[in-house]
Amino acid sequence: MKIALLGYGRMGKEIEKIAISRGHEIVIRKDVDDTIDISLADVAIDFSIPDAAFKNISNCINNNVPVISGTTGWLDNYKDAVALCEEKKGAFIYASNYSVGVNIFFELNKQLAKMMATLEDYNISMEEIHHTKKLDAPSGTAITLAEGVIENSSKKNWELGAISSEENIPIVAKRIPDVPGTHTVWYNSEVDTIEIKHTAHNRKGFALGAVIAAEWILDKTGVFTMKDVLNIG
Ligand SMILES: NC(=O)C1=CN([C@@H]2O[C@H](COP(=O)(O)OP(=O)(O)OC[C@H]3O[C@@H](n4cnc5c(N)ncnc54)[C@H](OP(=O)(O)O)[C@@H]3O)[C@@H](O)[C@H]2O)C=CC1
Ligand SMILES: O=C(O)C1=N[C@H](C(=O)O)C[C@H](O)C1
């Protein structure tokens, strides 16, 4: 299939390698906000920057090109993207994390949250560690993890910082050179700690998941998630 890469940075370049190895062709590599003919592509993959993602996604939907977005930090506009996709009968997936391992971790996190929901002796906290070039904090993945806990417990919100409260899940964001992405969820009590952790060793898992999602969405109409693509949970 013919792929448009909207964003040709660390992820765009990783996706290009995997897409070519799976027999696809890259027809657009868009690195800046210039004019492009998106309709040259069968599918678009957006890994750009928070300020550009919604415009890129809308442009694809308006031109009837299915779009996969992995850009984080733009979710204030997510509902508008969903509404536009439904109105235009387009095809769209956003995932804060495309790796298979993290999507399993998301399900594990929800199951654990259910089990811990009534155990008042335990305090939850989360940490995400990423490279120093990352623009947003907390990471999209940490937000998805927090939402998974909120759906399955009495917690109401997440909060950036270390202080735990009855209603909020504290998320600490650390920036350390070259770290691709590490996420930890802790439940601490006076007597013990339960910890679940996902460590990405490189960006290949994110990139492979994005290409698999692009292959999957080609003949579909609607708004989907990685759970639909991987058929898990
Ligand atoms: N969902 C997932 O699985 C993952 C998500 N991500 C997310 O993906 C995004 C990109 O990450 P990463 O590749 O590391 O970041 P990079 O900074 O390496 O790449 C972003 C690229 O987007 C380009 N860009 C800027 N404006 C536009 C525009 N209007 N249209 C298209 N491209 C544009 C930038 O160009 P220039 O440098 O010239 O400004 C840059 O090359 C981030 O939001 C990150 O959080 C990352 C990994 C996995
Ligand atoms: O910016 C990154 O690098 C990553 N961003 C995503 C996020 O915000 O969760 C996914 C991954 O952790 C890498």
Side-chain angles (χ1 to χ4, degrees):
M1 64 194 180
K2 293 182 175 169
I3 300 178
L5 293 177
L6 307 181
Y8 192 58
R10 284 174 291 271
M11 279 303 297
K13 292 185 174 93
E14 201 66 52
I15 289 166
E16 176 177 48
K17 281 188 238 162
I18 289 178
I20 289 171
S21 77
R22 290 170 74 92
H24 305 305
E25 186 190 350
I26 309 300
V27 290
I28 293 169
R29 293 170 187 83
K30 185 187 173 200
D31 215 7
V32 287
D33 200 11
D34 52 3
T35 311
I36 50 155
D37 183 1
I38 195 70
S39 59
L40 292 172
D42 299 318
V43 63
I45 304 182
D46 165 80
F47 280 75
S48 57
I49 56 171
D51 284 348
F54 180 59
K55 194 172 166 199
N56 283 340
I57 293 161
S58 304
N59 186 37
C60 294
I61 295 172
N62 283 324
N63 285 282
N64 208 19
V65 174
V67 57
I68 304 299
S69 177
T71 308
T72 52
W74 66 276
L75 285 190
D76 287 351
N77 292 122
Y78 178 74
K79 282 187 180 156
D80 296 331
V82 169
L84 181 68
C85 185
E86 283 166 355
E87 181 200 330
K88 301 280 180 185
K89 302 206 178 345
F92 166 53
I93 297 179
Y94 163 74
S96 61
N97 200 307
Y98 279 90
S99 87
V100 173
V102 163
N103 282 277
I104 303 282
F105 187 65
F106 285 153
E107 296 307 309
L108 186 64
N109 170 61
K110 286 192 246 179
Q111 288 298 325
L112 183 59
K114 256 183 226 170
M115 289 191 269
M116 301 305 290
T118 55
L119 301 181
E120 288 171 6
D121 291 341
Y122 287 89
N123 284 318
I124 187 173
S125 58
M126 294 186 181
E127 180 186 85
E128 57 98 336
I129 310 175
H130 284 86
H131 54 95
T132 49
K133 305 272 168 25
K134 186 159 179 60
L135 297 179
D136 53 320
S139 66
T141 305
I143 293 172
T144 305
L145 287 166
E147 286 169 348
V149 172
I150 290 164
E151 277 166 32
N152 290 288
S153 72
S154 59
K155 294 290 179 187
K156 301 273 183 280
N157 269 308
W158 56 264
E159 195 172 29
L160 197 53
I163 296 158
S164 165
S165 76
E166 194 151 326
E167 294 208 327
N168 286 352
I169 303 162
I171 305 177
V172 170
K174 292 186 178 163
R175 297 292 172 257
I176 298 175
D178 302 327
V179 174
T182 302
H183 293 88
T184 313
V185 181
W186 290 282
Y187 289 85
N188 268 307
S189 79
E190 194 202 333
V191 296
D192 59 7
T193 299
I194 299 171
E195 171 182 322
I196 57 170
K197 180 174 185 178
H198 180 274
T199 306
H201 300 314
N202 50 54
R203 294 185 173 81
K204 287 182 196 165
F206 312 137
L208 176 61
V211 175
I212 288 171
E215 291 166 351
W216 182 90
I217 205 171
L218 211 53
D219 57 352
K220 301 196 174 53
T221 299
V223 178
F224 304 98
T225 67
M226 265 316 259
K227 222 174 137 171
D228 301 311
V229 176
L230 299 173
N231 201 15
I232 52 170

